[in-house]
Amino acid sequence: MSLTKLLQHVFTILCFTMMVYNCKAQSDLIEIDKIEFHFLDNCRWGDILVARNSSFNVSQDDKNTLELKYSNTFTTGGMFVDIYRPKILLPHVKKKSSAILNIEAKMTGGGKMKCVIKSINESEQIISEKTHELKSSEHWKLNTIRIPLDQNVKTITYHITYHGHENPLQKVSIKSPVLLIRKNSITPAPTNNIDKNKIIPIYESELLYAKPISPLINSTIIGLGEPTHGSKTVKKIRYDVTKELIEHQNAKIIAMECPTDLALIFDSYAQGYSDESSLEIIKQNTSFGMEDGDMLVSFLNWVRDLNTSRTIHRRVHIVGIDSPTYYIDTNIFENCIYLYQKGYITKNDFALIKTGQFSVFNNERLKDDRIYSTYFDQNLRFLQERKNNYNRSQRDSLMTVKTLELQKNLAANEKIVIMAHSEHLSRINYDKQRNLGHYLATELGHKYHSITIQFGIGTYLQDSCFIAGDILVDTLPPAPANSFENLALRSGYDLFYSLTEDLPEFDSYASIPRYHLGKPAFNYMSKKRFDAFVFAKESNHFHQEMKNKYETIQKKWMDKKSKIKFF
């Protein structure tokens, strides 16, 4: 046999071997995650954001292809499409391997597409990160991205972006990205059970926080988180627990994830600085947000009644620590009208407020109420910053500053209770995204006690698309096998409290932010986020007539603002 024929023979064997190997390798892969580009109610779903001024459609044949075309109003150099897949639930990795992300795309017109993929550990810190420029072609092109896995990897996240330009011929099409992992590198998650001797069942006939739970007794700030703003059940539990903390744990400031200027009206009512006429503006302002107005008013009445029996230094205050509204001048004016009618401020004070020269601490009628004065002063500062293009981007940082500033007015044994979405109250941060809970944990250590209130089944309200959209009823999907909700449902208890350290290992629990309809409720989240969990078996949504309400209330605000001459 000649050398040429021998080499040809060897090459044929090698090709056959590689083909067999590749076939075997492909058969060894299992699909872990796949995006579905499904659309509903003129909104964009499936963890995809598309520029509102671009034209787009979904292939009608298989629902797995996203096609975007040029729009005349598209901004030069702007983002055309943004696909984000957060913290995918993975099986347990038992040995070193790699995950494979397949992205099939085609592009015309010269735009650029890239993908950033990250592997993350149990503390939600990045282990490895890879950026991949997706190849451009007028025909379908398969892009394969690999990222290493080992026993420390708990989840993977990826982010695909396409940046367009003014070329009217540009178009991008993407088929559903698929994440694959080799079968022999993973193992099923172990089946864990909650130790019933380590949890505290809650019954309607008894108080939870009357029990000697040392982390609560020793804490200075307690965060009460909700996984969604739309659960009536969770809100009721949170209000009930807050009342107990006020009565039994000396909670004095109730800080809400609410615009600071809106909650100023809440606190004026709770302190008796305004009368029941302010309840109407409170209901109007909360009717387009994710809040049960009747439940809120009932709580404010409870605090107001309690405060009538307390001295000014022992009163409970309701404050908002979130960014001010775009109508901060309107809300402050509304509050000042109440104070003027009660004789707490004069007509001359209005001019001083307008120019930023008014100080609550110099007001003889209000200065003894240190918490209210500090809170009022925060609002006046925001009013001036608003006129100087107030920056809303540092949201959690500003919430922290406001909380700690108010805390300085408390005695050593007094507490702050924060009512916010659980995402804000987490003790740990992810990928440089600092949150309120992380700032407080860094500042206070174990003096900050974070709790999330989860539920196993049921319904809740959710936003349709964006703030001006409708509110819809959504249902929690079945809890994954190794989620907190699955473990809690199998415990047999309808309602309980447990310290995180007393719970078995789990790798997810529900978190449903605003504008999250149609997106996964369960992603990987470390149990280290919270010090304790409260579990309710079933959630019910509250009633809220939301259709087109936002535009109506916005018009009322603008009509009122046009009549205000002071600001």
Side-chain angles (χ1 to χ4, degrees):
M1 180 183 297
S2 67
L3 180 59
T4 302
K5 289 186 176 181
L6 178 60
L7 290 174
Q8 289 176 343
H9 184 66
V10 171
F11 179 75
T12 302
I13 294 174
L14 286 173
C15 289
F16 179 77
T17 304
M18 289 298 296
M19 183 179 68
V20 172
Y21 175 80
N22 286 332
C23 290
K24 183 179 183 301
Q26 289 295 321
S27 65
D28 188 39
L29 295 171
I30 61 171
E31 182 181 301
I32 298 297
D33 182 74
K34 181 178 181 179
I35 288 182
E36 292 184 4
F37 297 127
H38 53 286
F39 283 69
L40 173 68
D41 194 28
N42 296 319
C43 295
R44 47 200 184 279
W45 308 112
D47 289 298
I48 180 166
L49 298 174
V50 179
R52 291 185 190 175
N53 52 5
S54 62
S55 60
F56 58 94
N57 62 74
V58 175
S59 172
Q60 296 301 309
D61 53 354
D62 59 6
K63 304 292 184 183
N64 287 327
T65 302
L66 179 74
E67 182 180 273
L68 299 103
K69 298 180 180 178
Y70 174 81
S71 171
N72 290 331
T73 57
F74 182 62
T75 305
T76 303
M79 188 172 292
F80 209 48
V81 59
D82 182 2
I83 302 174
Y84 176 56
R85 201 60 162 175
K87 288 171 282 192
I88 300 162
L89 285 174
L90 300 179
H92 285 217
V93 179
K94 65 180 181 180
K95 66 178 184 179
K96 289 185 176 182
S97 181
S98 61
I100 299 171
L101 178 63
N102 285 336
I103 305 170
E104 199 168 355
K106 60 181 180 179
M107 294 172 277
T108 57
K112 292 185 177 181
M113 189 184 305
K114 72 175 182 178
C115 175
V116 179
I117 185 169
K118 304 172 184 178
S119 64
I120 300 163
N121 66 15
E122 65 175 3
S123 297
E124 298 188 54
Q125 302 305 304
I126 297 170
I127 299 176
S128 59
E129 178 177 341
K130 182 177 290 187
T131 300
H132 185 86
E133 292 286 342
L134 300 185
K135 296 177 181 178
S136 176
S137 171
E138 295 183 0
H139 305 287
W140 286 109
K141 189 83 173 180
L142 177 63
N143 293 267
T144 297
I145 309 169
R146 298 175 184 268
I147 190 165
L149 296 180
D150 60 27
Q151 292 90 329
N152 295 317
V153 176
K154 296 297 182 182
T155 182
I156 288 174
T157 183
Y158 64 85
H159 194 182
I160 302 170
T161 55
Y162 172 81
H163 290 267
H165 45 77
E166 291 182 317
N167 184 348
L169 300 178
Q170 69 179 314
K171 183 173 69 173
V172 58
S173 298
I174 307 171
K175 291 188 178 179
S176 298
V178 179
L179 183 68
L180 303 165
I181 295 180
R182 299 202 181 281
K183 295 178 184 177
N184 61 4
S185 65
I186 57 176
T187 184
T191 302
N192 295 320
N193 293 294
I194 288 176
D195 186 343
K196 296 182 181 180
N197 295 318
K198 292 185 177 181
I199 63 175
I200 301 176
I202 307 172
Y203 304 101
E204 292 185 4
S205 60
E206 67 178 12
L207 295 173
L208 168 62
Y209 290 94
K211 298 182 179 182
I213 303 175
S214 58
L216 290 168
I217 297 171
N218 298 327
S219 62
T220 302
I221 297 180
I222 299 170
L224 290 178
E226 56 183 0
T228 169
H229 289 312
S231 169
K232 182 174 184 177
T233 303
V234 172
K235 289 186 184 297
K236 182 179 185 306
I237 292 171
R238 196 163 61 170
Y239 279 123
D240 288 346
V241 169
T242 299
K243 289 178 182 179
E244 294 178 16
L245 288 170
I246 291 170
E247 292 182 318
H248 301 282
Q249 294 289 338
N250 213 13
K252 193 172 178 181
I253 296 178
I254 312 304
M256 293 183 167
E257 183 192 344
C258 172
T260 182
D261 51 308
L262 175 55
L264 181 61
I265 299 176
F266 300 174
D267 198 41
S268 289
Y269 179 73
Q271 304 312 313
Y273 298 144
S274 65
D275 55 32
E276 292 186 355
S277 63
S278 62
L279 292 179
E280 182 60 31
I281 190 66
I282 290 173
K283 288 182 179 179
Q284 285 185 2
N285 275 268
T286 56
S287 62
F288 68 89
M290 298 293 282
E291 182 59 67
D292 187 320
D294 292 336
M295 198 179 295
L296 171 62
V297 167
S298 176
F299 177 68
L300 293 177
N301 280 324
W302 182 88
V303 173
R304 182 183 172 100
D305 291 342
L306 179 70
N307 282 342
T308 58
S309 63
R310 295 189 172 194
T311 64
I312 194 169
H313 300 294
R314 294 189 60 247
R315 290 178 185 170
V316 177
H317 289 263
I318 314 296
V319 304
I321 56 172
D322 209 346
S323 305
T325 67
Y326 290 107
Y327 311 98
I328 181 172
D329 45 2
T330 306
N331 283 330
I332 289 181
F333 171 78
E334 189 84 38
N335 191 73
C336 288
I337 290 294
Y338 301 139
L339 294 175
Y340 171 72
Q341 290 172 342
K342 289 283 187 176
Y344 289 102
I345 62 175
T346 67
K347 286 185 177 181
N348 292 333
D349 291 330
F350 280 100
L352 296 175
I353 290 171
K354 179 181 178 180
T355 58
Q357 298 176 347
F358 178 80
S359 173
V360 191
F361 298 102
N362 294 331
N363 185 295
E364 292 296 327
R365 300 172 183 83
L366 295 173
K367 68 178 183 179
D368 288 338
D369 192 345
R370 296 291 299 178
I371 295 175
Y372 183 81
S373 297
T374 301
Y375 182 38
F376 200 160
D377 186 64
Q378 285 181 348
N379 276 274
L380 295 180
R381 293 202 309 268
F382 277 118
L383 176 61
Q384 295 306 312
E385 291 174 16
R386 181 71 182 163
K387 294 178 180 179
N388 296 317
N389 297 319
Y390 166 70
N391 184 3
R392 294 171 60 92
S393 63
Q394 298 176 333
R395 185 181 178 193
D396 282 62
S397 176
L398 290 171
M399 286 198 284
T400 306
V401 170
K402 285 183 277 188
T403 302
L404 295 177
E405 184 179 5
L406 288 163
Q407 185 198 16
K408 294 177 182 179
N409 294 284
L410 297 183
N413 64 335
E414 294 174 334
K415 302 185 191 310
I416 294 178
V417 175
I418 303 177
M419 295 182 175
H421 194 284
S422 298
E423 291 279 345
H424 288 295
L425 299 177
S426 166
R427 294 183 68 91
I428 62 177
N429 65 285
Y430 163 66
D431 197 10
K432 302 178 182 180
Q433 298 177 7
R434 302 292 189 266
N435 52 51
L436 170 62
H438 176 72
Y439 284 122
L440 294 176
T442 302
E443 179 75 19
L444 303 173
H446 291 293
K447 290 290 184 179
Y448 170 62
H449 187 70
S450 59
I451 303 170
T452 183
I453 305 171
Q454 303 293 125
F455 57 90
I457 58 175
T459 57
Y460 50 90
L461 294 184
Q462 185 55 276
D463 303 78
S464 169
C465 298
F466 47 90
I467 195 168
D470 299 333
I471 292 290
L472 307 175
V473 177
D474 204 358
T475 302
L476 187 71
N482 201 38
S483 64
F484 166 75
E485 285 81 354
N486 188 289
L487 299 176
L489 285 169
R490 289 192 276 112
S491 74
Y493 288 106
D494 291 344
L495 189 63
F496 69 79
Y497 165 95
S498 177
L499 292 172
T500 303
E501 63 188 31
D502 292 331
L503 292 169
E505 292 300 315
F506 51 86
D507 57 19
S508 67
Y509 38 95
S511 181
I512 310 153
R514 300 285 298 268
Y515 325 123
H516 206 73
L517 189 66
K519 298 179 181 180
F522 292 92
N523 296 304
Y524 176 82
M525 285 192 290
S526 170
K527 61 185 288 188
K528 297 178 182 179
R529 285 186 173 213
F530 300 100
D531 298 298
F533 284 73
V534 170
F535 173 75
K537 180 179 179 181
E538 184 171 2
S539 165
N540 293 301
H541 63 278
F542 54 86
H543 177 69
Q544 194 172 44
E545 295 181 2
M546 275 298 305
K547 198 170 182 65
N548 298 323
K549 275 286 187 73
Y550 178 77
E551 291 87 347
T552 302
I553 293 173
Q554 185 184 46
K555 183 178 184 300
K556 287 182 180 179
W557 260 336
M558 296 307 293
D559 288 345
K560 182 187 295 184
K561 189 172 182 179
S562 67
K563 299 173 184 177
I564 295 174
K565 305 301 181 184
F566 298 105
F567 298 102

